[in-house]
Amino acid sequence: MKVSVFVSPKQGVLDPAGQATLGSLKSLGFDEVSDVRIGKYITLRLEGIDADQAEERVREMCERLLANPIIEDFRVEIER
Amino acid sequence: MKFGVVVFPGSNCEMDCYHVIDKVLREEVDYVWHQETDVSRYDCLVLPGGFSYGDYLRCGAIARFSPVMEAVADYAREGGLVIGICNGFQILLEAGLLPGAMLRNTCLHFICRFVDLRVENASTPWTNAAAVGQVLRIPIAHNEGNYTADAETLRELREQGRIILRYCAPDGTVSEEANPNGAMDNIAGICNEGFNVFGLMPHPERASEALLGSTDGMVIWESIMAHYRGKG
């Protein structure tokens, strides 16, 4: 089973890399861009577990290690 | 007094800390490998700077699950002295032994230079040899030193006097211009509620001998020793 985890900076938390990229896009003429947030995309492969269990396990992985809840949000997608 | 310098794969300031404790302070010191599970024989633990586990995922995120960190957490809970310098500070944050988190420096650069630090609380095991308002000149060297915390945590840190060091101008003025990395409230170092755990981004071990351009880091080491000997 393939699982995708998207980790992104929490709303309201400063994202210096996103801000710098926003500035760069604007200087390239992409004036329609109003915000850039840069996060992480993590893929996992799980064995011997069903999709419902996997969701719970992966959320726990995110809370304990893959994301820092103080500064990051996460979203889990399971390929069923 | 016996110090333990905790070494993670990727630590790179452990020898500097060991050198200062051994040759400058002339105190006992051991390296403590990250697989150790007993740290009870030490009077103070130092988590040194570096790039533990290559800073993979987030700075300190993987190191905080090293076997030794469970022992460090127990040691801290019992009131043991723990100081985390730079990456050591980041590990303490990830481990939840100190509140808040580190973001990337606002300038997006690795910053390696001397900074001025205002001592905000001189009644701690870490700063009792200083005076409030004293300015210490100590270098920083990091890419993620932009301290952040939610408003409630920040309020608690302020009210309880747990903000120990703040980035300032040479005359002690705390200003935005004197903030090298974007840290909230110019925070360079904080303590836990019991004041026995201290995290700071500057490197006192790099400013403990005149040859290196500053001996202001000695204020921290001397405070620790004075506290241990009941004078701090």
Side-chain angles (χ1 to χ4, degrees):
Chain A
M1 184 189 317
K2 192 187 156 199
V3 179
S4 301
V5 176
F6 302 87
V7 180
S8 53
K10 257 194 166 122
Q11 274 312 317
V13 167
L14 193 70
D15 176 11
Q19 286 301 304
T21 307
L22 172 66
S24 191
L25 285 171
K26 289 213 179 283
S27 73
L28 290 171
F30 295 104
D31 298 322
E32 66 273 33
V33 185
S34 67
D35 193 23
V36 179
R37 312 284 287 171
I38 297 181
K40 296 186 189 90
Y41 168 50
I42 302 167
T43 59
L44 308 171
R45 192 165 288 284
L46 307 191
E47 313 281 351
I49 188 168
D50 68 43
D52 288 340
Q53 277 180 302
E55 166 101 38
E56 197 188 316
R57 295 282 289 171
V58 174
R59 293 192 73 82
E60 192 187 336
M61 291 177 207
C62 290
E63 279 154 14
R64 292 191 60 195
L65 176 64
L66 300 179
N68 180 337
I70 298 172
I71 49 174
E72 294 169 327
D73 287 326
F74 63 86
R75 185 163 59 81
V76 176
E77 269 180 22
I78 296 177
E79 270 181 33
R80 290 168 196 258
Chain B
M1 181 170 189
K2 192 166 177 109
F3 286 82
V5 177
V6 182
V7 184
F8 301 92
S11 293
N12 67 10
C13 299
E14 73 276 18
M15 293 176 87
D16 308 55
C17 291
Y18 188 105
H19 164 81
V20 168
I21 295 164
D22 180 35
K23 296 288 195 277
V24 183
L25 312 184
R26 301 202 174 275
E27 297 288 346
E28 276 186 81
V29 56
D30 282 340
Y31 289 120
V32 180
W33 186 234
H34 70 117
Q35 300 285 4
E36 282 274 336
T37 52
D38 180 9
V39 293
S40 58
R41 60 192 174 281
Y42 301 106
D43 303 308
C44 178
L45 293 176
V46 182
L47 273 59
F51 299 86
S52 56
Y53 293 88
D55 274 355
Y56 296 154
L57 200 59
R58 294 177 309 278
C59 305
I62 298 180
R64 74 84 115 210
F65 290 107
S66 290
V68 76
M69 284 308 294
E70 214 167 302
V72 171
D74 288 342
Y75 182 86
R77 216 168 291 125
E78 284 157 23
L81 295 176
V82 180
I83 177 172
I85 301 167
C86 197
N87 188 228
F89 185 8
Q90 295 165 338
I91 295 169
L92 291 174
L93 291 170
E94 282 284 343
L97 292 174
L98 290 172
M102 287 297 176
L103 300 171
R104 198 186 289 197
N105 298 341
T106 41
C107 63
L108 298 175
H109 297 149
F110 188 97
I111 311 170
C112 183
R113 65 172 168 87
F114 272 96
V115 293
D116 294 296
L117 302 158
R118 185 176 193 278
V119 176
E120 298 290 344
N121 183 345
S123 314
T124 79
W126 319 99
T127 48
N128 58 67
V132 171
Q134 188 175 338
V135 176
L136 306 178
R137 205 171 150 268
I138 298 178
I140 53 170
H142 60 249
N143 196 45
E144 282 90 1
N146 182 349
Y147 180 82
T148 190
D150 60 48
E152 174 66 15
T153 303
L154 206 57
R155 191 182 57 78
E156 272 178 26
L157 288 174
R158 277 194 208 120
E159 286 178 5
Q160 297 169 5
R162 289 162 54 194
I163 300 172
I164 312 301
L165 298 173
R166 294 168 83 199
Y167 301 108
C168 68
D171 69 355
T173 313
V174 175
S175 64
E176 211 175 309
E177 299 77 64
N179 187 338
N181 53 24
M184 275 183 178
D185 242 10
N186 285 41
I187 287 175
I190 57 168
C191 272
N192 65 342
E193 269 179 76
F195 291 93
N196 60 308
V197 179
F198 180 38
L200 74 169
M201 289 314 291
H203 287 267
E205 79 282 10
R206 296 190 191 179
S208 295
E209 289 159 288
L211 188 65
L212 298 181
S214 169
T215 56
D216 289 356
M218 283 302 289
V219 168
I220 310 278
W221 303 116
E222 278 165 2
S223 298
I224 299 171
M225 292 190 294
H227 176 81
Y228 174 71
R229 301 203 159 99
K231 294 175 200 151

